[in-house]
Amino acid sequence: MSPADRAAAAFKASFGVQPAGTVFAPGRVNLIGEHVDYNEGLVLPMPVRHGTAVAWGPGSDGLAHVVADDFGESDRFSLAAPGKPSDIDWRAYARGMVALAPTRPEAGVCLTIAGDLPRGSGLSSSASLCVALGRALASAAGTHVDPTALALAAQRTEHEYAGVACGIMDQMAVAAGEPGHAMLLDCRDLSYRLIPLPRDWAVLTVDSGVTRGLVDGEYNERRAQCAEAAHLLGVASLRDVEPAEFDPSALPEPIGRRAAHVIAEIARVRQAAAALETADLSSFAAILRQGHASLRDLFEVSVPQVDALVDGLQGELGKRGGVRMTGAGFGGSVVVVAQQGAARQIGERLASRAQAVYGMDEA
Ligand code: GLA
């Protein structure tokens, strides 16, 4: 059953009536531009096929009644004062979005949630959850919501309700992305351009099987190191540093290596967008390989199992595509961008661990 069908069935089972509507938000995979969004850099994510559905219906008691079908759990709280749970689980996101969403119904609302993104796999299940909730709240209020405003509310929810000082990439890709298109997003002003993938390319994700642990603390530490680097270099953000002018030895370690990654990674995103627009797969693949090496050696957010998976898949692909870790790191998924036949081979061989994102319909 699709998440939308499951959410609708859970609604009927929980509230005794059919939902008034069902909304969906995908997860995202980042093609290139890792750990640069919070440095006001450029990123190149795209939505995946899997995601989160929320079925919604009206209420009249001033409360939000929320059921998480994936966990068999529920929550009930005041729409006017949702409160902040001390445990960070799906309830923290639900309450955060009710508190911060651009629009919400006043009289009451019933919501059921069902998703099919593996949690901890680096495909942004939390951004998908937040954006789906925001869409459901807007529908229940009878309004439309601007995708950028929705993305910003979802990001604030991560910051204020989940304690993760994330950037804006995931939420923008989920709220404003389009299937089959990469989003060249400027995280400084949130302007973006959607670039269609060439017809003979394919994108797939492969789960490393390493569930991300301790990632929030490591993530916040990397973010603080980047801010420190910008401060020491006398710039507002690392986006302002030209690669040719950067001297990593001017900074203490490991801050110099962190900054070196960010500055070169922003340049890689520009090159990757150009390669995408000219359907130059061999240049695009080379950029993915450089990006992975930089995350492994300079930013130090990969783990040996992920490196081994990347190396193995790259060996299998040869010149037919590129592969790298994707997302915050410390486990999760890798992304493969390849010729369709090569991607299909990998998809068939890895079956349940591989998820088609684009260009593998025939698989
Ligand atoms: C997580 C964050 C994003 C981004 C990536 C790394 O997905 O939520 O904002 O920083 O890590 O690129």
Side-chain angles (χ1 to χ4, degrees):
M1 240 200 287
S2 71
D5 288 345
R6 271 202 294 123
F11 196 97
K12 180 80 172 44
S14 306
F15 303 114
V17 290
Q18 295 294 344
T22 304
V23 296
F24 178 80
R28 70 92 189 92
V29 60
N30 190 17
L31 302 183
I32 187 79
E34 219 64 88
H35 288 276
V36 299
D37 59 350
Y38 52 81
N39 291 295
E40 301 193 339
L42 303 170
V43 293
L44 197 64
M46 69 185 292
V48 298
R49 295 177 184 197
H50 297 269
T52 312
V54 177
W56 61 272
S60 56
D61 53 5
L63 301 177
H65 299 261
V66 194
V67 173
D69 187 55
D70 299 340
F71 305 108
E73 293 174 357
S74 63
D75 195 11
R76 193 176 60 152
F77 51 89
S78 158
L79 279 168
K84 204 181 269 192
S86 50
D87 286 349
I88 296 166
D89 61 9
W90 68 271
R91 293 180 187 82
Y93 290 101
R95 290 177 183 233
M97 282 308 289
V98 166
L100 301 172
T103 55
R104 78 190 67 81
E106 305 285 325
V109 71
C110 297
L111 304 168
T112 51
I113 307 165
D116 63 356
L117 279 168
R119 273 167 295 280
S121 67
L123 301 178
S124 283
S125 57
S126 62
S128 170
L129 169 63
C130 288
V131 170
L133 285 166
R135 285 185 176 153
L137 292 167
S139 297
T143 56
H144 289 289
V145 63
D146 167 59
T148 301
L150 181 52
L152 288 166
Q155 183 195 30
R156 264 187 78 192
T157 296
E158 289 279 4
H159 288 192
E160 297 175 24
Y161 285 74
V164 182
C166 65
I168 191 67
M169 167 175 73
D170 304 345
Q171 295 78 9
M172 282 297 291
V174 168
E178 274 183 30
H181 291 69
M183 170 188 263
L184 178 61
L185 171 68
D186 185 333
C187 298
R188 171 164 274 173
D189 61 11
L190 303 189
S191 61
Y192 62 86
R193 199 150 54 80
L194 299 178
I195 307 177
L197 265 81
R199 279 186 186 281
D200 49 348
W201 291 28
V203 177
L204 82 156
T205 62
V206 178
D207 195 336
S208 70
V210 184
T211 308
R212 297 180 305 154
L214 295 176
V215 66
D216 297 352
E218 295 278 1
Y219 184 93
N220 292 349
E221 182 188 75
R222 295 300 185 285
R223 186 168 180 157
Q225 289 170 335
C226 291
E228 173 71 2
H231 173 72
L232 292 172
L233 294 170
V235 291
S237 75
L238 292 176
R239 167 74 177 273
D240 295 321
V241 182
E242 286 301 322
E245 288 164 10
F246 176 60
D247 172 13
S249 66
L251 295 172
E253 282 306 335
I255 290 179
R257 271 179 296 143
R258 306 290 188 253
H261 163 74
V262 171
I263 293 163
E265 183 84 349
I266 294 171
R268 277 191 285 273
V269 174
R270 290 187 206 282
Q271 294 158 6
L276 191 59
E277 281 173 318
T278 54
D280 179 353
L281 183 58
S282 77
S283 297
F284 197 91
I287 295 163
L288 296 193
R289 289 195 284 275
Q290 291 158 15
H292 184 79
S294 180
L295 288 165
R296 183 191 60 209
D297 302 336
L298 300 178
F299 216 68
E300 295 179 292
V301 291
S302 193
V303 293
Q305 298 95 319
V306 170
D307 294 338
L309 178 61
V310 165
D311 290 347
L313 290 173
Q314 189 62 65
E316 189 173 345
L317 283 171
K319 296 187 168 158
R320 299 176 300 165
V323 54
R324 67 171 199 94
M325 59 155 274
T326 185
F330 303 100
S333 296
V334 306
V335 59
V336 176
V337 181
Q339 291 171 3
Q340 291 191 349
R344 223 173 288 141
Q345 263 173 21
I346 291 174
E348 279 162 17
R349 188 172 65 73
L350 295 177
S352 60
R353 287 170 63 199
Q355 298 196 342
V357 177
Y358 170 80
M360 295 171 64
D361 294 329
E362 314 81 328

